[in-house]
Amino acid sequence: DLTFALETTDGAPYSGPLTLVKDGASQARLEVAGALGSSPIDVMVRVTDVHGNSATQSLSVTILAPNSPPTDIALTGPGS
């Protein structure tokens, strides 16, 4: 059974709009639990096993602007 934790890039506990939700004994998913801005969010994911062994992986989440709809469309052909 593994435990999962989000940390800041300097190893402190993370408290922001992202959260890890455990999905079974060895999986977790990242969820948004608050408002996101346009700046990247850099975190570390720490995974620890029952013996106290752990590993960390850096993760950067960037929110991109949604696709803008086309603004200059000309239709030709029957019925236009």
Side-chain angles (χ1 to χ4, degrees):
D1 200 26
L2 301 175
T3 60
F4 300 87
L6 278 178
E7 301 175 350
T8 63
T9 55
D10 61 358
Y14 172 80
S15 61
L18 302 177
T19 186
L20 281 175
V21 176
K22 195 165 180 180
D23 239 2
S26 61
Q27 297 182 73
R29 67 179 182 275
L30 188 66
E31 289 188 353
V32 176
L36 296 173
S38 59
S39 299
I41 300 171
D42 296 317
V43 294
M44 301 287 287
V45 177
R46 179 177 299 276
V47 180
T48 306
D49 68 13
V50 294
H51 303 290
N53 301 309
S54 64
T56 59
Q57 178 68 50
S58 61
L59 177 67
S60 184
V61 176
T62 303
I63 305 302
L64 302 175
N67 291 335
S68 299
T71 57
D72 189 19
I73 298 176
L75 300 175
T76 60
S80 56

